[in-house]
Amino acid sequence: MGDPKRSNGVGQRADLASLRAQVRAIERGTDAGDRAARCPLGLEGLDHHLGGGLALGRIHEITGEARTEVRDASVFGFAAAMSVRLLGAARGGDILWCLRDANMFGGMAYGCGLAALGLDMDRVLFVEARDEAQRLWAMEEGLRCTGLAGVVSEFGPAHAGEAARVAERRLQLAAETSGVTGFLLRSVAGEMAAGTADSRWSVRAAPSGGDPRPLWSLSLDRLRGGQPAAWRLFWDSREGRFRMPEERPEVSPVWPETRSFAASGAAA
């Protein structure tokens, strides 16, 4: 901006106007910096709508259908599927998963269940935190670690307010600086603030007709620089990709060999 002591104010006003324009462009998703690397999700129509795939080095929010503190397995499953794609696209690094404590309403993410969805548990690091503030801190620190491929963190329902917006902006800045992708999981639907997440997904379990493979009704409620949309997709853990229901092959599911994940910190 130059030295304000020697400026007549015109240059400062021009620079300030330029800065404001850049901020507005970033918020609209039209800034050149928005051209992030993409992680294809393996389904042409879905990837096309996302501009080539899920934006890397961004924060993505995943909400469930629960209206209470009951934990939502669909949120865990969809996050695991996204993590599988993320690890497949990454040149290296692991997933840092920040857990909520188990309580009378539900447990933590289950290692065998995540493995059944195709997630390589040798590349998942679980962190337990006693409260939301610690999980927020752990997620931000993880997002600053360029050695990770992604960070998943479980939170309660979203709330409107400046404190929540500031926290989310800090996460977004950390992700954009390092290139590490973050997933905010919220099983409880709760109040949806505008936020700064690159995308916001609502996940609902859909009737699968007796097939044990997960089938989800997905609603893309917010997409930076894009439009909302909805799909009904199932997750093919064998191939590690999403499919349309009509594409689903009639094959028997193969469950992973039972193993202990105590060393990685996963809990039932």
Side-chain angles (χ1 to χ4, degrees), residues 197-216:
D198 194 272
S199 67
R200 179 179 293 123
W201 304 77
S202 296
V203 187
R204 307 286 187 272
S208 61
D211 193 318
R213 290 166 290 190
L215 181 65
W216 296 308

Side-chain angles (χ1 to χ4, degrees), residues 36-228:
R38 301 280 168 174
C39 170
L41 299 180
L43 187 62
E44 184 178 355
L46 179 60
D47 287 332
H48 177 75
H49 188 86
L50 295 174
L54 192 75
L56 299 176
R58 299 288 189 269
I59 298 297
H60 304 279
E61 191 170 11
I62 304 173
T63 65
E65 59 186 317
R67 297 292 173 179
T68 68
E69 270 294 303
V70 175
R71 302 293 165 81
D72 191 338
S74 296
V75 171
F76 289 148
F78 186 65
M82 289 290 206
S83 297
V84 170
R85 298 298 303 182
L86 192 61
L87 289 174
R91 296 179 180 177
D94 298 326
I95 299 292
L96 179 69
W97 195 302
C98 306
L99 299 159
R100 293 181 74 185
D101 288 336
N103 57 33
M104 63 182 294
F105 299 107
M108 298 178 181
Y110 181 47
C112 288
L114 298 178
L117 293 169
L119 187 57
D120 183 357
M121 299 307 297
D122 290 331
R123 297 185 64 184
V124 181
L125 308 173
F126 288 101
V127 172
E128 294 184 37
R130 68 170 180 265
D131 55 32
E132 192 153 305
Q134 280 201 347
R135 285 191 299 278
L136 189 63
W137 175 85
M139 183 175 193
E140 184 176 347
E141 291 300 305
L143 288 170
R144 296 184 187 282
C145 179
T146 57
L148 293 173
V151 180
V152 179
S153 192
E154 304 168 24
F155 292 98
H159 298 287
E162 183 61 24
R165 287 194 294 270
V166 169
E168 195 166 318
R169 283 197 293 266
R170 287 177 61 93
L171 296 177
Q172 186 70 39
L173 179 60
E176 292 181 359
T177 301
S178 66
V180 179
T181 305
F183 296 102
L184 287 170
L185 308 190
R186 301 188 190 276
S187 293
V188 184
E191 180 182 359
M192 289 292 102
T196 59
D198 194 272
S199 67
R200 179 179 293 123
W201 304 77
S202 296
V203 187
R204 307 286 187 272
S208 61
D211 193 318
R213 290 166 290 190
L215 181 65
W216 296 308
S217 292
L218 301 178
S219 174
L220 180 58
D221 300 324
R222 181 182 186 276
L223 178 63
R224 183 181 185 183
Q227 297 296 320

